[in-house]
Amino acid sequence: QVQLVESGGGSVQAGGSLRLSCAASGYNYGRSTMGWFRQAPEKAREGVAAIRTGGGNTYYADFVKGRFTISHDNVKNTAYLKMNSLKPEDTDMYYCAVATAWRAYPPMASDYRYWGQGTQVTVSS
């Protein structure tokens, strides 16, 4: 059974940093895509960043370019989202997800089969 367990969220002041982690079990990364999404209440899930495992090609939404970095560690079977220079508008629930193929960018939630439980990021001014 595939499980994605997220951690690393919390509250931080504007300009601060967080690192989100997504520990996977029951899944072996290969030619797949790891994505990070955000979702505000009553809004659609939105792609933030993605990486093609086995290839390393990455995607970043315009609103995080230059501030966030996505990575993964196949030994630990864990994906990360390093979030620097956080802004209040980054406040949201963040979800990690896996698609079992190299998916097109920008990432679409419907392409991703497995999902984490979400972790809250709150940025205050």
Side-chain angles (χ1 to χ4, degrees), residues 20-33:
L20 308 185
S21 298
C22 178
S25 62
Y27 179 80
N28 294 316
Y29 292 101
R31 184 169 290 186
S32 61
T33 310

Side-chain angles (χ1 to χ4, degrees), residues 16-115:
S17 298
L18 290 170
R19 188 182 72 162
L20 308 185
S21 298
C22 178
S25 62
Y27 179 80
N28 294 316
Y29 292 101
R31 184 169 290 186
S32 61
T33 310
M34 290 287 304
W36 287 94
F37 296 77
R38 69 178 187 180
Q39 187 171 23
E42 301 182 341
K43 290 191 175 182
R45 198 160 292 187
E46 181 180 25
V48 174
I51 184 168
R52 291 173 173 174
T53 61
N57 297 324
T58 58
Y59 163 87
Y60 296 98
D62 286 343
F63 54 85
V64 305
K65 284 182 178 177
R67 300 189 296 121
F68 292 8
T69 303
I70 187 171
S71 62
H72 74 276
D73 185 331
N74 283 342
V75 175
K76 296 181 178 180
N77 208 16
T78 300
Y80 304 94
L81 185 68
K82 186 68 173 68
M83 311 167 78
N84 294 325
S85 302
L86 283 162
K87 304 175 181 180
E89 51 263 45
D90 296 322
T91 295
D92 244 324
M93 185 73 75
Y94 285 76
Y95 299 86
C96 68
V98 174
T100 57
W102 283 357
R103 293 296 189 180
Y105 299 151
M108 300 293 294
S110 60
D111 289 337
Y112 289 75
R113 179 180 296 180
Y114 305 112
W115 291 85

